[in-house]
Amino acid sequence: MSALAPALLINPSTRILSDAERTERMTSPGFGRIFTDHMAVIPYRDGAWQQGEVKAYGPLSLDPSASVLHYGQAIFEGFKAFAQPDGGVKTFRPDANGRRFNRSAKRLAMPELPVDLFLEAADALITLDRAWVPASTDESLYMRPLMIATDPYLGVRPAREYLFVLFGSPAGAYFPQGVKPVTVWISEDYVRAAPGGTGEAKCAGNYAASLMAQAQAETKGCDQVVWLDAVQHQYVEEMGGMNIFFVYQEAGKTTLVTPELTGTLLPGITRSSVLDLARDLGFETQERKVTVQQWRDDLAAGRMTEAFACGTAAVITPIGKIKANGFEMPINQEVNGPVALALREALLAVQHGSAPDTHGWMHTVC
Ligand code: PLP
Ligand code: COI
């Protein structure tokens, strides 16, 4: 707990859903559609985080002149809580999300939230909403922290008042089709992030700017956009809400390659975990640049055998086909690849407590 911010007040909701209603809502939750009974809020003003509170989930009240509505100071995070075999609940690397939240805050000239307070808010909320943590191994409680600028002021400058909000959403598979290979569209018409921009921050504007490209991908029959670098338009960076991995099989050796962190892509926590798990499984790993041409050539030559996307919401999702203007190529006959599936299982086993947590990733909540 930070010495600078008072402990959170816990004000339980008087409108808790009945067990039957909650169970009904939690059946086949999909992603991001249902929310638990409570949320945490912590205001920031006069240069300090103020008394925060865990209270009934519900609408926020904002002044129409609140600067987030005009100039977009808004950041968010995503991490998950998992039911454990002993009946407890643990979150996956929430401290890493707390630190990335602060890097995003810094980039958007917003105040940093002490990581201890970030964790305290999450633990208090999850403990109160314990009944909303799904028991099934395909599901989890997805936690969404965010911060917005609430200053009622129209001048363009970093706001002086902010609101931190955290809420939870029981979640199943991110893609409606479940764990099946996705088709991706390599975007040549739009860019996500340029050097010096906000690409490595998890800020709302990055996602707003991606929506046209995502809509274009869908008109081409694709599930997701693959972004290329903004300068040469040839290096593969990441996907709409996921990092990307390529699997190489050469001379009996399996190598996992992922685009290096250049400052224009999000440093995914799943990405970093997959690199560790890949090494645990005896695979080689490389973080380096990969061009679209290399992707095509290595697939055609049979050196690259799989590609997959990874992220908190998407977990590990195989890529079955790449498409761009003038070409399309299947990957691994458009079926789930063995390396992607092995890594997915290894990750889920740690998260759900059926494999030892050798990296110290799991945080005990209750
Ligand atoms: N890239 C983008 C643009 C994202 O939105 C996400 C999702 O959070 C990721 C990558 C994956 O990051 P993480 O594994 O930390 O969820
Ligand atoms: C996450 O995986 O947590 C994300 O934030 C991705 C989002 C686009 C759903």
Side-chain angles (χ1 to χ4, degrees), residues 64-77:
S65 61
S67 56
V68 64
L69 301 177
H70 308 270
Y71 311 128
Q73 274 183 293
I75 59 170
F76 71 98
E77 268 302 328

Side-chain angles (χ1 to χ4, degrees), residues 5 52 108 114 125 127 147 174 208 230 240 279 312:
L108 269 84
L125 177 59
T127 303
M147 192 199 323
Y174 181 70
R279 291 186 279 259
T312 298

Side-chain angles (χ1 to χ4, degrees), residues 31 76-79 97 100 142-144 174 202 207 240-242 266 270 311-315:
F31 179 81
F76 71 98
E77 268 302 328
F79 63 96
N97 291 90
R100 188 172 65 186
Y142 180 82
M143 304 304 296
R144 176 50 68 90
Y174 181 70
K202 207 159 162 57
Y207 297 81
M242 290 142 241
L266 193 81
T270 319
T312 298
V315 193

Side-chain angles (χ1 to χ4, degrees), residues 57 257 276:
Y57 178 89
V257 176
D276 285 339

Side-chain angles (χ1 to χ4, degrees), residues 281 283 316 337-347:
L281 293 178
F283 305 145
I316 288 178
V339 174
L341 287 190
L343 286 160
R344 184 184 160 89
E345 275 192 14
L347 178 62

Side-chain angles (χ1 to χ4, degrees), residues 232-288:
Q232 284 162 301
H233 298 275
Q234 47 170 312
Y235 295 106
V236 177
E237 297 223 307
E238 60 177 327
M239 293 177 43
M242 290 142 241
N243 292 110
I244 197 161
F245 273 85
F246 306 103
V247 180
Y248 286 82
Q249 301 281 2
E250 283 177 294
K253 204 173 67 180
T254 302
T255 305
L256 276 269
V257 176
T258 192
E260 69 187 30
L261 300 176
T262 54
T264 53
L265 56 152
L266 193 81
I269 292 156
T270 319
R271 175 189 179 280
S272 124
S273 311
V274 166
L275 285 169
D276 285 339
L277 288 172
R279 291 186 279 259
D280 293 350
L281 293 178
F283 305 145
E284 309 250 315
T285 60
Q286 291 174 4
E287 296 176 68
R288 62 169 163 86

